[in-house]
């Protein structure tokens, strides 16, 4: 027995779908933090393979440089992506407002914005 739901996207639903919203900035931050967490095992591996008995300072310095570089890269990537997301949000709002004004003609398959009708004078 098959359970669950399955949905399909037709050409028409893809054509009439609202514009996709940009990723929230906290998702970008979470991705950058995830990349930073991936560097921690690499740094620990560098420490474990280094000969700590003869040169502990260079091994710790190397680990420090790797972690600071990863943290700096994560911060720079987060700030750059946050700014690009903030810049994309007004354009998405305009596209969403234009999408909400559109109608679909089922007979001819065209999306259109109806002309403004002047109020009648009585």
């Amino acid at each position: 027995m098959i359970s669950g739901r399955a949905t399909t996207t037709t050409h028409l639903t893809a054509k009439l779908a609202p514009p996709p919203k940009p990723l929230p900035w906290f998702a970008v931050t979470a991705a950058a933090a995830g990349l930073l967490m991936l560097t921690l095992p690499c740094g620990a591996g560098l420490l474990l393979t280094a000969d700590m008995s003869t040169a502990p300072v260079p091994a710790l310095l190397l680990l420090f440089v790797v972690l600071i570089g990863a943290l700096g890269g994560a911060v720079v990537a987060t700030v750059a992506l946050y700014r690009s997301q903030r810049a994309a949000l007004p354009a998405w709002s305009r596209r969403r407002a234009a999408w909400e004004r559109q109608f679909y003609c089922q007979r001819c398959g065209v999306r259109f914005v109806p002309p403004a009708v002047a109020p009648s004078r009585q």
Side-chain angles (χ1 to χ4, degrees):
M1 177 178 195
I2 298 175
S3 63
R5 296 172 117 179
T7 58
T8 58
T9 303
T10 64
H11 177 67
L12 182 61
T13 58
K15 181 179 175 183
L16 299 178
K21 190 172 185 177
L23 282 176
W25 67 271
F26 54 84
V28 172
T29 304
L35 289 175
L36 178 62
M37 290 300 153
L38 287 175
T39 62
L40 290 177
C42 296
L46 286 174
L47 265 182
L48 292 176
T49 58
D51 188 12
M52 293 294 286
S53 61
T54 58
V57 175
L60 290 175
L61 185 61
L62 178 63
L63 177 64
F64 180 73
V65 167
V66 166
L67 291 178
I68 293 299
L71 180 63
V75 168
V76 167
T78 300
V79 169
L81 291 172
Y82 174 72
R83 287 182 178 171
S84 71
Q85 293 300 327
R86 278 190 62 180
L89 201 55
W92 173 81
S93 295
R94 288 189 300 274
R95 288 193 315 267
R96 176 73 183 209
W99 176 81
E100 289 176 354
R101 289 189 302 268
Q102 290 180 349
F103 286 83
Y104 175 71
C105 177
Q106 193 171 9
R107 186 180 67 192
C108 60
V110 174
R111 292 187 309 177
F112 66 96
V113 176
V117 179
S120 62
R121 297 183 191 199
Q122 293 182 0

